[in-house]
Amino acid sequence: MAIPILNLKPEVEELWEELNQAVQGVLKSTQFIMGPNVKAFEAETAAYFGVKHSIAVNSGTDALIIGLRAAGIGPGDEVITTPFTFYATAESVSLVGATPVFVDINPRTFTIDTDLIEQAITPKTKAIIPVHLYGQAAAMVPILSLAKKYNLKVIEDVAQAFGGEYKSKKLGTIGDVGCFSFYPSKNLGAYGDGGLIITNNDQIAELARMLRVHGAKRSYYNELIGYNSRLDEIQAAILRVKLPHLEKWNDGRRRAARIYNELLAEASEVITPVEDPDAKHVYHQYTIRIRNGKRDRVKQHLDQAGIATMLYYPVPVHRLPVYKKGSPQLKVAEEMAGEVISLPIWPTIDRPTQETVVGEIKKALAQL
Ligand SMILES: *Cc1c(COP(=O)(O)O)cnc(C)c1O
């Protein structure tokens, strides 16, 4: 039996009736853009996070682009971020005309190494984008204190951590802006593309709302060069069905992570994920490290056994073609890119499936 990296079938089956009713409701209303579901979803997410403003957009990438511009980031500015993330984090900085400045990561949490941020700050630095990678919070206390000292904006990339927490605060509510993705594989996924911006700052919210609809407060009285970046009603209706189940699903991911930790405890050359005691990790990915250059051969073995795994990320962003010229060596990120492997995880994955995955990992390591 093949084991996928993510199985969305259980949630679709669980919510089949509600999802059908939600989609049919949109069809019957014939209101497909900026209708009652988007409005309600924005109100429901604002309440979930306890924030003043929630602005639905077309994707997580657009949430970052619009979030950055609404926070006043633009040409000539530098934005400090991690190289160990999905490309869109840095790409969005470049798309608003600013320059990403990459700072190495902490090898235990895979998030930005906050001890290295201060030395990367220049007079051009305007913002920091911490990425809550794999569902675990970046260390927000030192990030916020540096932001305060140097008057920087903090834009949280929460694409992988909807529902995650840091010191009991929901991720995305700690910095100036929180940016989320509803790509189907994310912890709260739509059945298409989608994204969300949250903030308590009225001015940022007003600008973000304008930028998502061609820079207009009022249709046809456009004031800025903006975007067409609306969440559609069908996706909003689906997300409204799913949101009330998210905490339970995140708990299921945490339970699965504990089981993996237990099953892998004895495996030598394997480093299981470390939970920062300040963070509530929501395990968008369960990512281990395999030492001594054996990662690729273990992956090959798992592929042959029909067990899907992924490498997030095989090349750190500062080594990709667009950014590699003149970029510094970032040793930890480069080392991690050669060791990480993400295992199958979803909220209802069962123990026997996890035992099969771990059994094959141990078999592969014993043969190497
Ligand atoms: C998925 C993701 C994004 C981009 O979101 P899209 O909805 O795919 O545009 C940005 N940053 C991180 C860390 C992501 O994982």
Side-chain angles (χ1 to χ4, degrees), residues 165-170 278:
E165 295 175 10
Y166 180 80
K167 289 187 184 284
S168 304
K169 285 190 183 151
K170 284 263 182 297
D278 286 331

Side-chain angles (χ1 to χ4, degrees), residues 58-62 64 85-86 88-89 131 133 157 159-160 180-183 186 193-195 284 313:
N58 217 328
S59 69
T61 305
D62 279 7
L64 286 164
T85 181
F86 180 55
T89 310
V131 178
L133 197 77
D157 182 339
Q160 300 189 3
F180 297 83
S181 164
F182 302 127
Y183 184 78
K186 305 288 162 103
D193 276 309
H284 172 60
Y313 293 89

Side-chain angles (χ1 to χ4, degrees), residues 53 55 199 201-211 217:
H53 306 284
I55 301 139
T199 184
N201 181 310
D202 297 341
Q203 198 189 336
I204 289 175
E206 183 176 30
L207 255 173
R209 283 204 182 92
M210 288 173 74
L211 288 168
K217 270 186 222 147

Side-chain angles (χ1 to χ4, degrees), residues 112-148:
I112 194 164
D113 184 341
T114 51
D115 290 340
L116 303 176
I117 292 176
E118 191 158 23
Q119 66 201 56
I121 293 173
T122 75
K124 290 181 176 172
T125 308
K126 292 286 156 55
I128 304 173
I129 308 183
V131 178
H132 305 306
L133 197 77
Y134 306 148
Q136 172 146 260
M140 294 303 289
V141 163
I143 290 171
L144 289 187
S145 75
L146 286 168
K148 197 167 174 203

